[in-house]
Amino acid sequence: MTVRVRFAPSPTGYLHVGGLRTAIFNFLFARHHGGKFILRIEDTDTERSTQAAVDQILDSLRWMNISWDEGPFFQSQRMDLYRAHLARLLESGWAYRCYCPAQELDKKRKAAEAEKRQYKYDGACRHLDPKADPAGRPFVIRFKMPEKYPDHFDDLVLGRIPIDEERLDDWILARSDGMPVYNFCVVVDDADMRITHVIRGNDHVANTPRQILLYQAFGYITPKFAHIPLIHGPDGSKLSKRREAEYKKLGMSVSVQEYARMGYLPHALFNYMTRVGWSAGDQELFSLDEFVQKFDLDGVGKASGIMNPEKLKWVNAQYLKAEDDRALAEKLLPFLAEKNIVAPADSRLASIVACLKPRSNTLAELADKAVVFFIAPTTYDEKSVRKFWTPEARAWLSRLVELLPGMPISDEAAMEERFKKLAEEFAGGNMGKIAQPLRLALTGSTASPSIFSVMNILGKDECIARIRRAIAELPTLG
Ligand code: GLU
């Protein structure tokens, strides 16, 4: 049996991180088992589905390097198949037309609610002669529940799931406008696409009994089901789009495309999301090949996954460090452009990246830190000024301006040796006392990376100009 799985998003909004994780699990499961991964867009809800959402979902999957083997198929283009299947069920007696007026059913539903009992359709139209169609009257098509049906199904993640008889009635397969419902289309499609494993969020557990009954009615093989726990926010509550502003401050989002904007690398997000709810021992970082090799459903836990943005940042930082400087420089360009910095992805930018990537969690953070290499400081951190801008510091920097033209600025190791001697001469051997005021003059703060890298990247002329400017602009202390 060749494994065939699918990801079936509804294009009513952007790709959600929960949807992303479902996509990843299906993708990895297919790759692990040498099977096929199919993409199906469930756009039968014509009022809520949009082309923009379809585009965004596809873009997000592509950005994540999640590739599909078949599709995308669109349910809206498969109506003939659904109609043929509805006709089949009507013919075989597994479905019937129901002419009950909506107001009447509403009344019955409200009466059930008032009595606090579960509403079930009473089967009023169940025994109508299908040949005696009252022409012209609107109808829905209902499933004819069999007398006997299984009392449970076995889920590959959740285990034995009882089928709750209370919730099952002669449910609607197609509405009065002829539109088949989700629970119907999904079975027709999964059967038509020969899906072997349905891996999806556990918010669909309650739909599964109806779907299983439909497979039986059609005489189709029922796929295996694996319902994966949902993803919750850092405080353990359900992820909510309304709390997006709060999430952003923490460095996370409900929307996959926001992660690109926040400067996460796609494989870092892939790695992190896979680990929310799946584990293989204590290992945190996996290449794609390792994931493909190790991923299976037995590693998926039953408990809800909790988003931990700090961990996500850590994972991203690891991949930033490991990524090639030139490649990162390319990826940094849009983040710099947002700051009105137009720079080529040249060797200078690669050096900036090399110098900053060990200290950055995201590309956005890296871009923030890179600004100082393009724009000279116009303000200086007050606290550092108070601490380091002493008359001695000014004297040392004035001397450095004279020395710099003769110094090997591009040889960072040699510069470090020279500075050790200069520290003896100017600050009793205290490197901090000469390095901190220099950092302040060059970058406006004392929180820069290696001062030798900063000088090397800025070059002699720019260093001299910045030191002169600091001397001119900053008042002397004491
Ligand atoms: N279209 C459904 C959703 O977005 C998925 C249905 C399924 O996977 O069976 O929730």
Side-chain angles (χ1 to χ4, degrees):
M1 179 189 72
T2 308
V3 160
R4 291 176 62 84
V5 291
R6 77 328 188 255
F7 176 52
S10 302
T12 53
Y14 51 68
L15 182 63
H16 182 282
V17 280
L20 169 65
R21 212 222 3 205
T22 302
I24 292 176
F25 281 13
N26 276 287
F27 169 76
L28 288 178
F29 187 77
R31 295 286 174 270
H32 177 78
H33 290 283
K36 297 282 184 225
F37 175 54
I38 293 147
L39 179 60
R40 181 171 76 225
I41 305 291
E42 303 209 320
D43 57 349
T44 50
D45 184 344
T46 45
E47 265 165 42
R48 294 175 59 225
S49 301
T50 65
Q51 185 57 43
V54 172
D55 294 344
Q56 243 179 56
I57 291 170
L58 299 185
D59 280 353
S60 290
L61 291 174
R62 288 191 191 105
W63 177 68
M64 290 294 294
N65 297 312
I66 297 176
S67 53
W68 48 93
D69 305 302
E70 294 172 27
F73 298 106
F74 292 83
Q75 285 192 324
S76 58
Q77 293 166 11
R78 298 166 61 81
M79 286 299 156
D80 289 348
L81 186 71
Y82 306 138
R83 281 197 195 105
H85 276 77
L86 280 171
R88 229 169 101 179
L89 288 188
L90 283 169
E91 219 159 280
S92 60
W94 276 100
Y96 61 91
R97 294 186 178 82
C98 164
Y99 299 90
C100 293
Q103 304 100 301
E104 205 171 287
L105 295 177
D106 248 10
K107 250 192 252 160
K108 289 180 183 171
R109 184 175 297 112
K110 286 201 180 110
E113 271 165 25
E115 289 167 31
K116 296 204 172 9
R117 68 188 154 77
Q118 168 87 33
Y119 167 76
K120 277 183 164 191
Y121 175 62
D122 59 11
C125 295
R126 209 173 206 243
H127 305 292
L128 292 183
D129 178 359
K131 303 230 163 51
D133 260 1
R137 272 176 59 192
F139 61 86
V140 299
I141 297 176
R142 288 186 184 271
F143 184 68
K144 192 184 276 178
M145 275 294 293
E147 291 286 317
K148 284 207 170 78
Y149 47 85
D151 64 352
H152 77 280
F153 72 91
D154 292 308
D155 189 277
L156 293 175
V157 172
L158 302 175
R160 186 187 166 99
I161 305 282
I163 293 183
D164 182 3
E165 183 208 348
E166 270 301 293
R167 299 177 58 110
L168 290 172
D169 62 357
D170 286 356
W171 49 286
I172 294 175
L173 300 174
R175 289 188 286 265
S176 57
D177 60 2
M179 256 333 236
V181 301
Y182 155 72
N183 271 321
F184 179 80
C185 300
V186 80
V187 168
V188 173
D189 282 341
D190 284 343
D192 183 62
M193 294 171 188
R194 291 171 286 119
I195 299 301
T196 56
H197 296 74
V198 171
I199 304 170
R200 61 184 172 197
N202 70 13
D203 48 337
H204 286 290
V205 167
N207 289 320
T208 307
R210 289 192 177 90
Q211 296 176 12
I212 290 173
L213 286 169
L214 268 182
Y215 282 103
Q216 294 181 352
F218 284 122
Y220 288 143
I221 297 166
T222 308
K224 293 194 163 43
F225 291 96
H227 288 94
I228 57 181
L230 300 184
I231 298 175
H232 287 184
D235 63 358
S237 62
K238 261 182 112 174
L239 276 184
S240 151
K241 292 180 185 177
R242 264 172 282 126
R243 295 176 62 185
E244 198 52 19
E246 210 177 300
Y247 295 151
K248 286 275 186 59
K249 277 190 210 135
L250 299 173
M252 59 170 275
S253 170
V254 184
S255 158
V256 173
Q257 67 173 6
E258 282 305 313
Y259 288 86
R261 291 200 191 120
M262 286 188 281
Y264 289 100
L265 298 174
H267 186 68
L269 184 62
F270 188 110
N271 191 137
Y272 176 75
M273 293 311 300
T274 311
R275 289 281 294 104
V276 179
W278 175 83
S279 56
D282 292 333
Q283 190 173 344
E284 291 290 355
L285 302 174
F286 297 77
S287 66
L288 180 57
D289 283 346
E290 275 179 295
F291 271 131
V292 168
Q293 198 196 333
K294 295 189 176 171
F295 183 86
D296 214 341
L297 293 172
D298 51 12
V300 177
K302 289 185 190 180
S304 315
I306 304 274
M307 283 294 284
N308 177 347
E310 288 311 312
K311 177 101 170 270
L312 168 62
K313 282 184 216 162
W314 177 83
V315 171
N316 203 59
Q318 307 315 306
Y319 284 106
L320 277 183
K321 274 187 218 137
E323 178 126 357
D324 173 71
D325 296 333
R326 280 278 181 154
L328 268 189
E330 285 284 348
K331 291 184 179 146
L332 197 62
L333 297 184
F335 293 88
L336 291 175
E338 257 180 43
K339 300 174 182 301
N340 295 321
I341 295 171
V342 181
D346 57 4
S347 58
R348 181 173 190 265
L349 190 56
S351 311
I352 294 171
V353 162
C355 162
L356 296 176
K357 71 181 187 181
R359 319 158 56 90
S360 308
N361 288 322
T362 62
L363 285 167
E365 250 180 70
L366 212 161
D368 283 342
K369 296 193 168 114
V371 170
V372 77
F373 290 102
F374 296 93
I375 301 168
T378 50
T379 59
Y380 300 86
D381 176 56
E382 264 178 48
K383 239 169 114 185
S384 310
V385 171
R386 258 181 274 129
K387 193 158 173 206
F388 296 109
W389 203 254
T390 57
E392 295 78 25
R394 272 172 71 109
W396 135 248
L397 287 175
S398 306
R399 179 73 185 124
L400 181 61
V401 168
E402 292 163 12
L403 293 174
L404 262 176
M407 290 176 107
I409 200 167
S410 54
D411 182 343
E412 293 177 24
M415 284 295 279
E416 194 167 346
E417 284 312 306
R418 293 287 289 270
F419 264 59
K420 275 185 194 148
K421 293 202 182 92
L422 289 165
E424 292 296 336
E425 194 180 318
F426 286 88
N430 185 335
M431 178 69 97
K433 278 200 172 154
I434 62 164
Q436 294 300 60
L438 178 57
R439 276 206 173 88
L440 192 57
L442 296 180
T443 69
S445 94
T446 47
S448 78
S450 150
I451 191 67
F452 307 109
S453 304
V454 173
M455 282 195 286
N456 185 11
I457 294 167
L458 288 177
K460 282 182 190 174
D461 291 350
E462 182 64 17
C463 286
I464 291 169
R466 289 188 186 192
I467 296 169
R468 284 207 170 116
R469 184 159 171 189
I471 291 174
E473 289 189 7
L474 283 173
T476 316
L477 293 178

